[in-house]
Amino acid sequence: MSFLAWAEAAEQTPIGQAIRESAWLVPALESGHLIALAILSGAVLIVDLRLLGLGLVNHSVATIHRAARPWFYLGLLGMLSTGALLILPEALKYYGNDAFWLKLGTLGAALVFAFTIRSPVINGSIRLFRGPRPAVRAVGAISLLLWFTVTAAGRWVGFSS
Amino acid sequence: MNELLYDFAQWTNGLPLGTLLRTSPTAYPLIETTHVLFLGLFLGTLLMVNVRLLGLSFRTVSISEMNARLLPYTLAGAIVMLGSGVALFVAVPLRSTQSLFFRVKVLLLLGALLNAWWFNRQLRKAEREQLDVVHAEQLPSPTFARVAAVLSIVGWLGVAICGRLMATPWFDCDRQPQSDLVNSFAGCLVGNLPPPLIDQAASLFADGTVNL
């Protein structure tokens, strides 16, 4: 099935139709999306700042990472669920939107980076801390840059067509 | 009061900066994107401090340290939020002044700022008195910190939600009849309705033009 066929099918789902026809569901879902953005941003930032040698510098990255993890998952769950529900009613519009594909691409990259590089570096299965400091900082900077792009492209979806 | 605010909005509407923001196809979207990005920095760092105040996470970090280490980032976020927010208001002053959600947003913002000031005063006092609860790790949070955290979360999330709801046509002044209470609180002046209302969130710049 092509993406186009998926988009057409998504718009025809009962949930997609219900959201499209409701006057308040989209503003409510977008409000929820904003709140989840704040939670996810906090959880990502507090760890990435620490990787950059900023913020809670008196504690190990692993400690901060562990404490932030539930908020990362809560924020991510909130973002993905409200995001999916926002796509359903307007899937064809998003299908033709460049900013949307940039957002989806960088979201994928940010998640892959978080789970295959950032987490292993922090918990020590990739032994970067014995290596050069700039490498650790680079992990924080790349993570920040990826999430930054996801957010900016996400807002830009509403401005581009 | 509503007349005064309307006159102020009229004056703001005539500012060259407003015209600049309205005629540039990219200025408004760029400023709004900045506003959302720094919401992540501002509210994100603030929420992490608040979950510590509630004792939910980061319990190995003392309240004092959590606050001191993250406050610079929260403040930096707040300054950019305020600057970009003022610019967004200057671009669309009449519509914003006659918006129920904008007014609720400003009131919640003032309340949340008051709460932040009160919390920091209490925290400084506790620090001066060398209270263990703010310096030590793992101890339950003092009551003032828990109260401030709940007020902060409710207030700032309310501010963010009102920002989004401003882009809906709900309670707009051109949707008459509305109750006198709504009209008066939203600042609707009969005979002085704002220009055709716009959906800032989606349609305004979709075709690259500004239509005010």
Side-chain angles (χ1 to χ4, degrees), chain B residues 20-45:
Chain B
L20 185 80
L21 294 173
R22 284 188 293 269
T23 46
S24 158
T26 48
Y28 192 93
L30 279 176
I31 295 169
E32 197 158 302
T33 303
T34 306
H35 203 59
V36 173
L37 275 170
F38 280 83
L39 172 109
L41 179 67
F42 170 70
L43 213 47
T45 52

PDB file of all heavy atoms in Angstrom, chain B residues 20-45:
ATOM      1  N   LEU B  20       5.049  45.932   9.117  1.00  0.00           N
ATOM      2  CA  LEU B  20       6.176  45.112   8.647  1.00  0.00           C
ATOM      3  C   LEU B  20       5.873  43.619   8.845  1.00  0.00           C
ATOM      4  O   LEU B  20       6.050  42.795   7.944  1.00  0.00           O
ATOM      5  CB  LEU B  20       7.433  45.504   9.428  1.00  0.00           C
ATOM      6  CG  LEU B  20       8.739  44.847   8.993  1.00  0.00           C
ATOM      7  CD1 LEU B  20       9.285  45.562   7.773  1.00  0.00           C
ATOM      8  CD2 LEU B  20       9.763  44.870  10.120  1.00  0.00           C
ATOM      9  N   LEU B  21       5.375  43.277  10.051  1.00  0.00           N
ATOM     10  CA  LEU B  21       5.085  41.874  10.365  1.00  0.00           C
ATOM     11  C   LEU B  21       3.959  41.330   9.495  1.00  0.00           C
ATOM     12  O   LEU B  21       3.932  40.157   9.151  1.00  0.00           O
ATOM     13  CB  LEU B  21       4.703  41.730  11.846  1.00  0.00           C
ATOM     14  CG  LEU B  21       5.806  42.044  12.856  1.00  0.00           C
ATOM     15  CD1 LEU B  21       5.256  42.038  14.274  1.00  0.00           C
ATOM     16  CD2 LEU B  21       6.934  41.035  12.735  1.00  0.00           C
ATOM     17  N   ARG B  22       3.013  42.207   9.128  1.00  0.00           N
ATOM     18  CA  ARG B  22       1.877  41.757   8.323  1.00  0.00           C
ATOM     19  C   ARG B  22       2.212  41.638   6.850  1.00  0.00           C
ATOM     20  O   ARG B  22       1.635  40.829   6.142  1.00  0.00           O
ATOM     21  CB  ARG B  22       0.682  42.708   8.518  1.00  0.00           C
ATOM     22  CG  ARG B  22      -0.045  42.524   9.841  1.00  0.00           C
ATOM     23  CD  ARG B  22      -1.316  43.339   9.874  1.00  0.00           C
ATOM     24  NE  ARG B  22      -1.047  44.773   9.874  1.00  0.00           N
ATOM     25  CZ  ARG B  22      -0.908  45.510  10.974  1.00  0.00           C
ATOM     26  NH1 ARG B  22      -1.010  44.939  12.154  1.00  0.00           N
ATOM     27  NH2 ARG B  22      -0.656  46.794  10.906  1.00  0.00           N
ATOM     28  N   THR B  23       3.157  42.456   6.372  1.00  0.00           N
ATOM     29  CA  THR B  23       3.430  42.440   4.932  1.00  0.00           C
ATOM     30  C   THR B  23       4.507  41.417   4.559  1.00  0.00           C
ATOM     31  O   THR B  23       4.569  40.977   3.427  1.00  0.00           O
ATOM     32  CB  THR B  23       3.860  43.837   4.422  1.00  0.00           C
ATOM     33  OG1 THR B  23       4.836  44.351   5.324  1.00  0.00           O
ATOM     34  CG2 THR B  23       2.671  44.774   4.370  1.00  0.00           C
ATOM     35  N   SER B  24       5.345  41.042   5.521  1.00  0.00           N
ATOM     36  CA  SER B  24       6.347  40.020   5.219  1.00  0.00           C
ATOM     37  C   SER B  24       5.695  38.648   5.227  1.00  0.00           C
ATOM     38  O   SER B  24       4.978  38.306   6.171  1.00  0.00           O
ATOM     39  CB  SER B  24       7.466  40.070   6.255  1.00  0.00           C
ATOM     40  OG  SER B  24       8.128  38.823   6.288  1.00  0.00           O
ATOM     41  N   PRO B  25       5.928  37.851   4.173  1.00  0.00           N
ATOM     42  CA  PRO B  25       5.306  36.518   4.154  1.00  0.00           C
ATOM     43  C   PRO B  25       5.927  35.547   5.152  1.00  0.00           C
ATOM     44  O   PRO B  25       5.321  34.537   5.502  1.00  0.00           O
ATOM     45  CB  PRO B  25       5.522  36.045   2.716  1.00  0.00           C
ATOM     46  CG  PRO B  25       6.670  36.843   2.222  1.00  0.00           C
ATOM     47  CD  PRO B  25       6.673  38.151   2.956  1.00  0.00           C
ATOM     48  N   THR B  26       7.135  35.849   5.620  1.00  0.00           N
ATOM     49  CA  THR B  26       7.813  34.882   6.495  1.00  0.00           C
ATOM     50  C   THR B  26       7.919  35.338   7.953  1.00  0.00           C
ATOM     51  O   THR B  26       8.114  34.505   8.839  1.00  0.00           O
ATOM     52  CB  THR B  26       9.251  34.600   6.003  1.00  0.00           C
ATOM     53  OG1 THR B  26       9.890  35.848   5.740  1.00  0.00           O
ATOM     54  CG2 THR B  26       9.242  33.750   4.751  1.00  0.00           C
ATOM     55  N   ALA B  27       7.786  36.639   8.222  1.00  0.00           N
ATOM     56  CA  ALA B  27       8.036  37.135   9.580  1.00  0.00           C
ATOM     57  C   ALA B  27       7.106  36.488  10.599  1.00  0.00           C
ATOM     58  O   ALA B  27       7.568  35.959  11.615  1.00  0.00           O
ATOM     59  CB  ALA B  27       7.891  38.661   9.613  1.00  0.00           C
ATOM     60  N   TYR B  28       5.807  36.506  10.324  1.00  0.00           N
ATOM     61  CA  TYR B  28       4.848  35.978  11.300  1.00  0.00           C
ATOM     62  C   TYR B  28       5.061  34.486  11.565  1.00  0.00           C
ATOM     63  O   TYR B  28       5.158  34.069  12.731  1.00  0.00           O
ATOM     64  CB  TYR B  28       3.425  36.284  10.836  1.00  0.00           C
ATOM     65  CG  TYR B  28       2.378  36.045  11.889  1.00  0.00           C
ATOM     66  CD1 TYR B  28       1.949  37.072  12.716  1.00  0.00           C
ATOM     67  CD2 TYR B  28       1.832  34.779  12.070  1.00  0.00           C
ATOM     68  CE1 TYR B  28       0.993  36.858  13.690  1.00  0.00           C
ATOM     69  CE2 TYR B  28       0.879  34.545  13.046  1.00  0.00           C
ATOM     70  CZ  TYR B  28       0.455  35.585  13.848  1.00  0.00           C
ATOM     71  OH  TYR B  28      -0.478  35.362  14.817  1.00  0.00           O
ATOM     72  N   PRO B  29       5.143  33.644  10.510  1.00  0.00           N
ATOM     73  CA  PRO B  29       5.420  32.219  10.777  1.00  0.00           C
ATOM     74  C   PRO B  29       6.723  31.986  11.530  1.00  0.00           C
ATOM     75  O   PRO B  29       6.779  31.124  12.404  1.00  0.00           O
ATOM     76  CB  PRO B  29       5.502  31.609   9.365  1.00  0.00           C
ATOM     77  CG  PRO B  29       4.722  32.521   8.507  1.00  0.00           C
ATOM     78  CD  PRO B  29       4.886  33.895   9.068  1.00  0.00           C
ATOM     79  N   LEU B  30       7.776  32.761  11.201  1.00  0.00           N
ATOM     80  CA  LEU B  30       9.052  32.577  11.896  1.00  0.00           C
ATOM     81  C   LEU B  30       8.930  32.924  13.372  1.00  0.00           C
ATOM     82  O   LEU B  30       9.455  32.217  14.233  1.00  0.00           O
ATOM     83  CB  LEU B  30      10.140  33.447  11.248  1.00  0.00           C
ATOM     84  CG  LEU B  30      10.772  32.882   9.974  1.00  0.00           C
ATOM     85  CD1 LEU B  30      11.760  33.887   9.376  1.00  0.00           C
ATOM     86  CD2 LEU B  30      11.493  31.561  10.282  1.00  0.00           C
ATOM     87  N   ILE B  31       8.219  34.014  13.671  1.00  0.00           N
ATOM     88  CA  ILE B  31       8.080  34.421  15.069  1.00  0.00           C
ATOM     89  C   ILE B  31       7.238  33.402  15.831  1.00  0.00           C
ATOM     90  O   ILE B  31       7.540  33.035  16.962  1.00  0.00           O
ATOM     91  CB  ILE B  31       7.461  35.832  15.164  1.00  0.00           C
ATOM     92  CG1 ILE B  31       8.421  36.859  14.562  1.00  0.00           C
ATOM     93  CG2 ILE B  31       7.163  36.196  16.609  1.00  0.00           C
ATOM     94  CD1 ILE B  31       7.802  38.222  14.376  1.00  0.00           C
ATOM     95  N   GLU B  32       6.191  32.903  15.192  1.00  0.00           N
ATOM     96  CA  GLU B  32       5.356  31.936  15.891  1.00  0.00           C
ATOM     97  C   GLU B  32       6.093  30.618  16.110  1.00  0.00           C
ATOM     98  O   GLU B  32       5.936  29.963  17.147  1.00  0.00           O
ATOM     99  CB  GLU B  32       4.042  31.700  15.134  1.00  0.00           C
ATOM    100  CG  GLU B  32       3.050  31.033  16.066  1.00  0.00           C
ATOM    101  CD  GLU B  32       1.613  31.207  15.666  1.00  0.00           C
ATOM    102  OE1 GLU B  32       1.169  32.360  15.557  1.00  0.00           O
ATOM    103  OE2 GLU B  32       0.955  30.188  15.453  1.00  0.00           O
ATOM    104  N   THR B  33       6.920  30.220  15.135  1.00  0.00           N
ATOM    105  CA  THR B  33       7.736  29.010  15.307  1.00  0.00           C
ATOM    106  C   THR B  33       8.731  29.203  16.464  1.00  0.00           C
ATOM    107  O   THR B  33       8.929  28.293  17.285  1.00  0.00           O
ATOM    108  CB  THR B  33       8.483  28.678  13.999  1.00  0.00           C
ATOM    109  OG1 THR B  33       7.512  28.534  12.951  1.00  0.00           O
ATOM    110  CG2 THR B  33       9.260  27.381  14.109  1.00  0.00           C
ATOM    111  N   THR B  34       9.321  30.387  16.545  1.00  0.00           N
ATOM    112  CA  THR B  34      10.211  30.710  17.666  1.00  0.00           C
ATOM    113  C   THR B  34       9.463  30.600  18.995  1.00  0.00           C
ATOM    114  O   THR B  34       9.966  30.044  19.974  1.00  0.00           O
ATOM    115  CB  THR B  34      10.767  32.149  17.510  1.00  0.00           C
ATOM    116  OG1 THR B  34      11.367  32.265  16.224  1.00  0.00           O
ATOM    117  CG2 THR B  34      11.781  32.469  18.582  1.00  0.00           C
ATOM    118  N   HIS B  35       8.234  31.119  18.986  1.00  0.00           N
ATOM    119  CA  HIS B  35       7.394  31.091  20.197  1.00  0.00           C
ATOM    120  C   HIS B  35       7.187  29.638  20.657  1.00  0.00           C
ATOM    121  O   HIS B  35       7.280  29.340  21.844  1.00  0.00           O
ATOM    122  CB  HIS B  35       6.052  31.754  19.863  1.00  0.00           C
ATOM    123  CG  HIS B  35       5.310  32.301  21.058  1.00  0.00           C
ATOM    124  ND1 HIS B  35       5.826  33.262  21.891  1.00  0.00           N
ATOM    125  CD2 HIS B  35       4.071  32.024  21.547  1.00  0.00           C
ATOM    126  CE1 HIS B  35       4.942  33.551  22.840  1.00  0.00           C
ATOM    127  NE2 HIS B  35       3.864  32.798  22.662  1.00  0.00           N
ATOM    128  N   VAL B  36       6.913  28.736  19.721  1.00  0.00           N
ATOM    129  CA  VAL B  36       6.678  27.328  20.074  1.00  0.00           C
ATOM    130  C   VAL B  36       7.975  26.643  20.515  1.00  0.00           C
ATOM    131  O   VAL B  36       7.987  25.884  21.487  1.00  0.00           O
ATOM    132  CB  VAL B  36       6.029  26.569  18.889  1.00  0.00           C
ATOM    133  CG1 VAL B  36       5.957  25.081  19.186  1.00  0.00           C
ATOM    134  CG2 VAL B  36       4.644  27.114  18.595  1.00  0.00           C
ATOM    135  N   LEU B  37       9.077  26.932  19.803  1.00  0.00           N
ATOM    136  CA  LEU B  37      10.363  26.314  20.166  1.00  0.00           C
ATOM    137  C   LEU B  37      10.770  26.689  21.589  1.00  0.00           C
ATOM    138  O   LEU B  37      11.219  25.840  22.360  1.00  0.00           O
ATOM    139  CB  LEU B  37      11.457  26.771  19.195  1.00  0.00           C
ATOM    140  CG  LEU B  37      11.567  25.982  17.899  1.00  0.00           C
ATOM    141  CD1 LEU B  37      12.522  26.685  16.941  1.00  0.00           C
ATOM    142  CD2 LEU B  37      12.056  24.558  18.171  1.00  0.00           C
ATOM    143  N   PHE B  38      10.608  27.972  21.922  1.00  0.00           N
ATOM    144  CA  PHE B  38      11.033  28.408  23.246  1.00  0.00           C
ATOM    145  C   PHE B  38      10.017  28.037  24.321  1.00  0.00           C
ATOM    146  O   PHE B  38      10.343  28.063  25.506  1.00  0.00           O
ATOM    147  CB  PHE B  38      11.397  29.893  23.245  1.00  0.00           C
ATOM    148  CG  PHE B  38      12.769  30.113  22.692  1.00  0.00           C
ATOM    149  CD1 PHE B  38      12.968  30.188  21.319  1.00  0.00           C
ATOM    150  CD2 PHE B  38      13.869  30.171  23.523  1.00  0.00           C
ATOM    151  CE1 PHE B  38      14.245  30.338  20.799  1.00  0.00           C
ATOM    152  CE2 PHE B  38      15.143  30.324  23.012  1.00  0.00           C
ATOM    153  CZ  PHE B  38      15.327  30.412  21.648  1.00  0.00           C
ATOM    154  N   LEU B  39       8.797  27.680  23.904  1.00  0.00           N
ATOM    155  CA  LEU B  39       7.849  27.082  24.848  1.00  0.00           C
ATOM    156  C   LEU B  39       8.458  25.789  25.388  1.00  0.00           C
ATOM    157  O   LEU B  39       8.352  25.477  26.574  1.00  0.00           O
ATOM    158  CB  LEU B  39       6.506  26.782  24.168  1.00  0.00           C
ATOM    159  CG  LEU B  39       5.509  25.985  25.006  1.00  0.00           C
ATOM    160  CD1 LEU B  39       4.362  26.882  25.426  1.00  0.00           C
ATOM    161  CD2 LEU B  39       4.972  24.788  24.274  1.00  0.00           C
ATOM    162  N   GLY B  40       9.117  25.032  24.485  1.00  0.00           N
ATOM    163  CA  GLY B  40       9.778  23.797  24.901  1.00  0.00           C
ATOM    164  C   GLY B  40      10.853  24.066  25.944  1.00  0.00           C
ATOM    165  O   GLY B  40      10.940  23.366  26.952  1.00  0.00           O
ATOM    166  N   LEU B  41      11.675  25.103  25.710  1.00  0.00           N
ATOM    167  CA  LEU B  41      12.740  25.431  26.658  1.00  0.00           C
ATOM    168  C   LEU B  41      12.152  25.953  27.971  1.00  0.00           C
ATOM    169  O   LEU B  41      12.513  25.482  29.054  1.00  0.00           O
ATOM    170  CB  LEU B  41      13.670  26.488  26.041  1.00  0.00           C
ATOM    171  CG  LEU B  41      14.836  26.954  26.930  1.00  0.00           C
ATOM    172  CD1 LEU B  41      15.833  25.828  27.152  1.00  0.00           C
ATOM    173  CD2 LEU B  41      15.546  28.155  26.315  1.00  0.00           C
ATOM    174  N   PHE B  42      11.238  26.904  27.863  1.00  0.00           N
ATOM    175  CA  PHE B  42      10.673  27.542  29.056  1.00  0.00           C
ATOM    176  C   PHE B  42       9.858  26.550  29.893  1.00  0.00           C
ATOM    177  O   PHE B  42      10.167  26.263  31.041  1.00  0.00           O
ATOM    178  CB  PHE B  42       9.800  28.733  28.631  1.00  0.00           C
ATOM    179  CG  PHE B  42       8.979  29.305  29.747  1.00  0.00           C
ATOM    180  CD1 PHE B  42       9.586  29.992  30.775  1.00  0.00           C
ATOM    181  CD2 PHE B  42       7.604  29.141  29.767  1.00  0.00           C
ATOM    182  CE1 PHE B  42       8.836  30.517  31.824  1.00  0.00           C
ATOM    183  CE2 PHE B  42       6.849  29.659  30.802  1.00  0.00           C
ATOM    184  CZ  PHE B  42       7.463  30.339  31.836  1.00  0.00           C
ATOM    185  N   LEU B  43       8.812  26.000  29.266  1.00  0.00           N
ATOM    186  CA  LEU B  43       7.909  25.127  30.007  1.00  0.00           C
ATOM    187  C   LEU B  43       8.574  23.789  30.336  1.00  0.00           C
ATOM    188  O   LEU B  43       8.313  23.194  31.388  1.00  0.00           O
ATOM    189  CB  LEU B  43       6.633  24.916  29.177  1.00  0.00           C
ATOM    190  CG  LEU B  43       5.328  24.750  29.928  1.00  0.00           C
ATOM    191  CD1 LEU B  43       5.175  25.796  31.005  1.00  0.00           C
ATOM    192  CD2 LEU B  43       4.152  24.835  28.952  1.00  0.00           C
ATOM    193  N   GLY B  44       9.445  23.323  29.441  1.00  0.00           N
ATOM    194  CA  GLY B  44      10.136  22.049  29.664  1.00  0.00           C
ATOM    195  C   GLY B  44      10.993  22.087  30.923  1.00  0.00           C
ATOM    196  O   GLY B  44      10.852  21.232  31.806  1.00  0.00           O
ATOM    197  N   THR B  45      11.874  23.093  31.013  1.00  0.00           N
ATOM    198  CA  THR B  45      12.737  23.176  32.199  1.00  0.00           C
ATOM    199  C   THR B  45      11.908  23.466  33.453  1.00  0.00           C
ATOM    200  O   THR B  45      12.173  22.932  34.523  1.00  0.00           O
ATOM    201  CB  THR B  45      13.822  24.263  32.017  1.00  0.00           C
ATOM    202  OG1 THR B  45      13.209  25.495  31.629  1.00  0.00           O
ATOM    203  CG2 THR B  45      14.826  23.865  30.952  1.00  0.00           C
TER     204      THR B  45
END
